[in-house]
Short mmCIF file of all heavy atoms in Angstrom, two decimals:
data_model
loop_
_atom_site.label_atom_id
_atom_site.label_comp_id
_atom_site.label_asym_id
_atom_site.label_seq_id
_atom_site.Cartn_x
_atom_site.Cartn_y
_atom_site.Cartn_z
N LEU A 1 -9.54 -7.54 -1.88
CA LEU A 1 -10.29 -6.31 -2.17
C LEU A 1 -10.07 -5.82 -3.59
O LEU A 1 -8.93 -5.75 -4.06
CB LEU A 1 -9.85 -5.22 -1.18
CG LEU A 1 -10.56 -3.88 -1.22
CD1 LEU A 1 -12.03 -4.02 -0.79
CD2 LEU A 1 -9.85 -2.87 -0.32
N ALA A 2 -11.17 -5.53 -4.26
CA ALA A 2 -11.13 -4.80 -5.54
C ALA A 2 -12.24 -3.77 -5.45
O ALA A 2 -13.36 -3.96 -5.94
CB ALA A 2 -11.33 -5.72 -6.72
N ALA A 3 -11.92 -2.66 -4.78
CA ALA A 3 -12.94 -1.66 -4.47
C ALA A 3 -12.65 -0.36 -5.22
O ALA A 3 -11.48 -0.01 -5.44
CB ALA A 3 -13.00 -1.39 -2.97
N SER A 4 -13.70 0.33 -5.59
CA SER A 4 -13.60 1.62 -6.26
C SER A 4 -12.65 1.53 -7.45
O SER A 4 -12.92 0.81 -8.40
CB SER A 4 -13.20 2.70 -5.27
OG SER A 4 -13.58 3.98 -5.76
N GLY A 5 -11.52 2.23 -7.42
CA GLY A 5 -10.58 2.16 -8.52
C GLY A 5 -10.04 0.76 -8.77
O GLY A 5 -9.69 0.41 -9.90
N GLY A 6 -9.97 -0.05 -7.71
CA GLY A 6 -9.57 -1.45 -7.88
C GLY A 6 -10.55 -2.20 -8.75
O GLY A 6 -10.15 -3.03 -9.58
N TYR A 7 -11.84 -1.90 -8.60
CA TYR A 7 -12.83 -2.54 -9.46
C TYR A 7 -12.86 -1.90 -10.85
O TYR A 7 -13.10 -2.57 -11.85
CB TYR A 7 -14.23 -2.47 -8.84
CG TYR A 7 -15.23 -3.24 -9.67
CD1 TYR A 7 -15.21 -4.64 -9.70
CD2 TYR A 7 -16.16 -2.59 -10.47
CE1 TYR A 7 -16.10 -5.35 -10.49
CE2 TYR A 7 -17.06 -3.29 -11.26
CZ TYR A 7 -17.02 -4.68 -11.26
OH TYR A 7 -17.88 -5.38 -12.06
N PHE A 8 -12.59 -0.61 -10.92
CA PHE A 8 -12.53 0.08 -12.22
C PHE A 8 -11.51 -0.62 -13.11
O PHE A 8 -11.73 -0.82 -14.31
CB PHE A 8 -12.13 1.55 -12.01
CG PHE A 8 -12.52 2.46 -13.13
CD1 PHE A 8 -13.48 3.44 -12.94
CD2 PHE A 8 -11.93 2.34 -14.38
CE1 PHE A 8 -13.84 4.30 -13.98
CE2 PHE A 8 -12.29 3.19 -15.42
CZ PHE A 8 -13.25 4.17 -15.22
N ILE A 9 -10.38 -1.01 -12.53
CA ILE A 9 -9.36 -1.75 -13.27
C ILE A 9 -9.86 -3.15 -13.62
O ILE A 9 -9.71 -3.61 -14.75
CB ILE A 9 -8.06 -1.84 -12.44
CG1 ILE A 9 -7.44 -0.46 -12.25
CG2 ILE A 9 -7.06 -2.79 -13.10
CD1 ILE A 9 -6.32 -0.44 -11.22
N ALA A 10 -10.47 -3.82 -12.64
CA ALA A 10 -10.89 -5.21 -12.81
C ALA A 10 -11.89 -5.38 -13.94
O ALA A 10 -11.82 -6.33 -14.73
CB ALA A 10 -11.46 -5.75 -11.51
N MET A 11 -12.84 -4.46 -14.05
CA MET A 11 -13.93 -4.64 -15.01
C MET A 11 -13.45 -4.51 -16.46
O MET A 11 -14.18 -4.86 -17.39
CB MET A 11 -15.04 -3.63 -14.75
CG MET A 11 -14.66 -2.21 -15.07
SD MET A 11 -16.00 -1.06 -14.75
CE MET A 11 -15.22 0.49 -15.21
N THR A 12 -12.23 -4.05 -16.67
CA THR A 12 -11.67 -3.90 -18.01
C THR A 12 -11.33 -5.25 -18.63
O THR A 12 -11.15 -5.35 -19.83
CB THR A 12 -10.39 -3.04 -17.95
OG1 THR A 12 -10.61 -1.94 -17.08
CG2 THR A 12 -10.00 -2.53 -19.31
N SER A 13 -11.23 -6.29 -17.81
CA SER A 13 -10.68 -7.57 -18.24
C SER A 13 -11.69 -8.40 -19.03
O SER A 13 -12.86 -8.05 -19.18
CB SER A 13 -10.23 -8.36 -17.01
OG SER A 13 -11.35 -8.68 -16.22
N ASP A 14 -11.21 -9.57 -19.49
CA ASP A 14 -12.09 -10.54 -20.17
C ASP A 14 -12.89 -11.37 -19.17
O ASP A 14 -13.96 -11.88 -19.51
CB ASP A 14 -11.24 -11.49 -21.03
CG ASP A 14 -10.54 -10.77 -22.17
OD1 ASP A 14 -11.25 -10.32 -23.08
OD2 ASP A 14 -9.31 -10.65 -22.15
N TYR A 15 -12.37 -11.50 -17.94
CA TYR A 15 -13.00 -12.40 -16.97
C TYR A 15 -12.53 -12.01 -15.58
O TYR A 15 -11.35 -11.69 -15.37
CB TYR A 15 -12.57 -13.84 -17.28
CG TYR A 15 -13.51 -14.92 -16.80
CD1 TYR A 15 -14.68 -15.22 -17.49
CD2 TYR A 15 -13.22 -15.66 -15.66
CE1 TYR A 15 -15.53 -16.24 -17.06
CE2 TYR A 15 -14.06 -16.68 -15.21
CZ TYR A 15 -15.22 -16.96 -15.92
OH TYR A 15 -16.05 -17.96 -15.50
N ILE A 16 -13.47 -12.03 -14.60
CA ILE A 16 -13.13 -11.66 -13.22
C ILE A 16 -13.44 -12.83 -12.30
O ILE A 16 -14.57 -13.33 -12.29
CB ILE A 16 -13.93 -10.43 -12.74
CG1 ILE A 16 -13.73 -9.24 -13.70
CG2 ILE A 16 -13.51 -10.03 -11.33
CD1 ILE A 16 -14.60 -8.04 -13.36
N ILE A 17 -12.45 -13.25 -11.52
CA ILE A 17 -12.61 -14.31 -10.53
C ILE A 17 -12.28 -13.73 -9.16
O ILE A 17 -11.27 -13.04 -8.99
CB ILE A 17 -11.70 -15.51 -10.83
CG1 ILE A 17 -12.10 -16.15 -12.17
CG2 ILE A 17 -11.76 -16.55 -9.71
CD1 ILE A 17 -11.24 -17.32 -12.58
N ALA A 18 -13.15 -13.98 -8.18
CA ALA A 18 -12.92 -13.52 -6.81
C ALA A 18 -13.21 -14.65 -5.84
O ALA A 18 -13.84 -15.65 -6.21
CB ALA A 18 -13.80 -12.31 -6.50
N LYS A 19 -12.76 -14.48 -4.63
CA LYS A 19 -13.02 -15.49 -3.59
C LYS A 19 -14.33 -15.14 -2.87
O LYS A 19 -14.84 -14.03 -2.99
CB LYS A 19 -11.85 -15.52 -2.60
CG LYS A 19 -10.55 -15.98 -3.23
CD LYS A 19 -9.41 -16.04 -2.24
CE LYS A 19 -8.93 -14.68 -1.82
NZ LYS A 19 -7.68 -14.73 -1.05
N GLN A 20 -14.83 -16.11 -2.12
CA GLN A 20 -16.07 -15.87 -1.35
C GLN A 20 -15.91 -14.69 -0.42
O GLN A 20 -16.83 -13.89 -0.22
CB GLN A 20 -16.44 -17.11 -0.52
CG GLN A 20 -16.64 -18.38 -1.32
CD GLN A 20 -15.38 -19.23 -1.40
OE1 GLN A 20 -14.30 -18.70 -1.61
NE2 GLN A 20 -15.53 -20.53 -1.20
N SER A 21 -14.73 -14.57 0.18
CA SER A 21 -14.47 -13.54 1.18
C SER A 21 -13.99 -12.22 0.59
O SER A 21 -13.77 -11.25 1.32
CB SER A 21 -13.42 -14.05 2.18
OG SER A 21 -12.23 -14.43 1.49
N SER A 22 -13.80 -12.17 -0.73
CA SER A 22 -13.35 -10.93 -1.36
C SER A 22 -14.41 -9.85 -1.23
O SER A 22 -15.61 -10.14 -1.19
CB SER A 22 -13.04 -11.16 -2.85
OG SER A 22 -12.04 -12.13 -3.03
N GLU A 23 -13.96 -8.59 -1.18
CA GLU A 23 -14.88 -7.45 -1.19
C GLU A 23 -14.74 -6.74 -2.53
O GLU A 23 -13.63 -6.39 -2.95
CB GLU A 23 -14.55 -6.49 -0.04
CG GLU A 23 -14.90 -7.03 1.34
CD GLU A 23 -16.40 -7.16 1.55
OE1 GLU A 23 -17.14 -6.25 1.13
OE2 GLU A 23 -16.84 -8.17 2.13
N VAL A 24 -15.87 -6.54 -3.19
CA VAL A 24 -15.88 -5.97 -4.54
C VAL A 24 -16.91 -4.85 -4.60
O VAL A 24 -17.97 -4.95 -4.00
CB VAL A 24 -16.24 -7.06 -5.58
CG1 VAL A 24 -16.37 -6.47 -6.97
CG2 VAL A 24 -15.21 -8.18 -5.57
N GLY A 25 -16.59 -3.79 -5.34
CA GLY A 25 -17.57 -2.72 -5.53
C GLY A 25 -17.08 -1.36 -5.11
O GLY A 25 -16.04 -0.91 -5.57
N SER A 26 -17.83 -0.68 -4.25
CA SER A 26 -17.55 0.70 -3.83
C SER A 26 -17.40 1.60 -5.05
O SER A 26 -16.41 2.31 -5.21
CB SER A 26 -16.28 0.76 -2.96
OG SER A 26 -16.11 2.04 -2.41
N ILE A 27 -18.41 1.55 -5.91
CA ILE A 27 -18.36 2.27 -7.18
C ILE A 27 -18.79 3.72 -6.96
O ILE A 27 -19.97 4.01 -6.81
CB ILE A 27 -19.24 1.55 -8.22
CG1 ILE A 27 -18.65 0.17 -8.51
CG2 ILE A 27 -19.37 2.37 -9.50
CD1 ILE A 27 -19.58 -0.77 -9.20
N GLY A 28 -17.82 4.60 -6.92
CA GLY A 28 -18.10 6.00 -6.66
C GLY A 28 -16.84 6.84 -6.67
O GLY A 28 -15.74 6.35 -6.90
N VAL A 29 -17.00 8.12 -6.39
CA VAL A 29 -15.91 9.09 -6.47
C VAL A 29 -15.95 9.99 -5.25
O VAL A 29 -17.02 10.23 -4.67
CB VAL A 29 -16.07 9.98 -7.73
CG1 VAL A 29 -14.80 10.78 -7.99
CG2 VAL A 29 -16.47 9.17 -8.95
N LEU A 30 -14.80 10.48 -4.84
CA LEU A 30 -14.76 11.49 -3.78
C LEU A 30 -13.69 12.53 -4.09
O LEU A 30 -12.78 12.30 -4.88
CB LEU A 30 -14.50 10.84 -2.42
CG LEU A 30 -13.23 10.01 -2.20
CD1 LEU A 30 -12.10 10.90 -1.70
CD2 LEU A 30 -13.51 8.91 -1.20
N THR A 31 -13.85 13.69 -3.49
CA THR A 31 -12.89 14.78 -3.66
C THR A 31 -13.01 15.72 -2.47
O THR A 31 -13.79 15.47 -1.54
CB THR A 31 -13.12 15.54 -4.98
OG1 THR A 31 -12.04 16.45 -5.21
CG2 THR A 31 -14.41 16.32 -4.95
N GLU A 32 -12.26 16.80 -2.50
CA GLU A 32 -12.35 17.84 -1.47
C GLU A 32 -12.90 19.11 -2.08
O GLU A 32 -12.59 19.45 -3.23
CB GLU A 32 -10.97 18.14 -0.90
CG GLU A 32 -10.44 17.10 0.05
CD GLU A 32 -9.13 17.56 0.67
OE1 GLU A 32 -8.12 17.58 -0.05
OE2 GLU A 32 -9.13 17.92 1.84
N LEU A 33 -13.70 19.82 -1.32
CA LEU A 33 -14.15 21.13 -1.76
C LEU A 33 -12.98 22.12 -1.69
O LEU A 33 -12.09 21.97 -0.85
CB LEU A 33 -15.30 21.63 -0.89
CG LEU A 33 -16.63 20.90 -1.08
CD1 LEU A 33 -17.63 21.34 -0.03
CD2 LEU A 33 -17.18 21.16 -2.49
N PRO A 34 -12.96 23.10 -2.58
CA PRO A 34 -11.87 24.07 -2.55
C PRO A 34 -11.84 24.83 -1.23
O PRO A 34 -12.87 25.08 -0.61
CB PRO A 34 -12.18 25.00 -3.73
CG PRO A 34 -13.63 24.81 -3.99
CD PRO A 34 -13.94 23.40 -3.63
N THR A 35 -10.65 25.19 -0.82
CA THR A 35 -10.49 25.93 0.43
C THR A 35 -11.09 27.32 0.32
O THR A 35 -11.13 27.91 -0.76
CB THR A 35 -8.99 26.05 0.79
OG1 THR A 35 -8.87 26.84 1.97
CG2 THR A 35 -8.20 26.70 -0.33
N LYS A 36 -11.57 27.82 1.42
CA LYS A 36 -12.16 29.15 1.43
C LYS A 36 -11.11 30.24 1.71
O LYS A 36 -11.39 31.43 1.62
CB LYS A 36 -13.25 29.23 2.51
CG LYS A 36 -14.42 28.26 2.29
CD LYS A 36 -15.17 28.58 1.02
CE LYS A 36 -16.39 27.65 0.84
NZ LYS A 36 -17.10 27.93 -0.42
N GLU A 37 -9.93 29.78 2.05
CA GLU A 37 -8.88 30.77 2.37
C GLU A 37 -8.40 31.46 1.10
O GLU A 37 -8.22 30.84 0.07
CB GLU A 37 -7.70 30.07 3.06
CG GLU A 37 -8.07 29.47 4.41
CD GLU A 37 -6.89 28.73 5.03
OE1 GLU A 37 -5.79 28.79 4.43
OE2 GLU A 37 -7.08 28.11 6.07
N LYS A 38 -8.20 32.76 1.18
CA LYS A 38 -7.74 33.55 0.05
C LYS A 38 -6.42 34.23 0.39
O LYS A 38 -6.22 34.70 1.50
CB LYS A 38 -8.77 34.62 -0.33
CG LYS A 38 -10.14 34.08 -0.70
CD LYS A 38 -10.12 33.39 -2.04
CE LYS A 38 -11.53 32.93 -2.44
NZ LYS A 38 -11.54 32.23 -3.73
N ASP A 39 -5.52 34.20 -0.58
CA ASP A 39 -4.26 34.92 -0.42
C ASP A 39 -4.40 36.26 -1.13
O ASP A 39 -4.51 36.32 -2.35
CB ASP A 39 -3.12 34.09 -1.05
CG ASP A 39 -1.76 34.68 -0.72
OD1 ASP A 39 -1.69 35.90 -0.45
OD2 ASP A 39 -0.76 33.93 -0.75
N SER A 40 -4.43 37.32 -0.35
CA SER A 40 -4.70 38.66 -0.91
C SER A 40 -3.58 39.12 -1.85
O SER A 40 -3.76 40.06 -2.62
CB SER A 40 -4.87 39.67 0.23
OG SER A 40 -3.71 39.70 1.05
N SER A 41 -2.41 38.46 -1.80
CA SER A 41 -1.32 38.88 -2.66
C SER A 41 -1.42 38.32 -4.07
O SER A 41 -0.67 38.72 -4.97
CB SER A 41 0.03 38.45 -2.05
OG SER A 41 0.13 37.03 -2.02
N ILE A 42 -2.35 37.37 -4.28
CA ILE A 42 -2.52 36.77 -5.60
C ILE A 42 -3.57 37.52 -6.38
O ILE A 42 -4.69 37.75 -5.92
CB ILE A 42 -2.92 35.27 -5.47
CG1 ILE A 42 -1.79 34.48 -4.81
CG2 ILE A 42 -3.26 34.69 -6.84
CD1 ILE A 42 -2.12 33.03 -4.59
#
């Protein structure tokens, strides 16, 4: 596997070799939305 950040690293190289069964790609980003909870003391 060289997926997402794994592929981000791989593409920096001079040459990429993978096997037939390797999984490559998943080019994207994810995150969490900020919590809706508020601390009234802040």
Side-chain angles (χ1 to χ4, degrees):
L1 184 67
S4 202
Y7 185 72
F8 202 113
I9 294 169
M11 69 180 180
T12 317
S13 65
D14 295 292
Y15 204 78
I16 305 174
I17 296 178
K19 295 181 289 190
Q20 302 94 317
S21 56
S22 300
E23 289 292 319
V24 175
S26 188
I27 295 164
V29 193
L30 59 89
T31 189
E32 284 186 288
L33 289 172
T35 177
K36 298 296 183 182
E37 296 177 5
K38 301 288 184 181
D39 189 335
S40 58
S41 65
I42 296 177

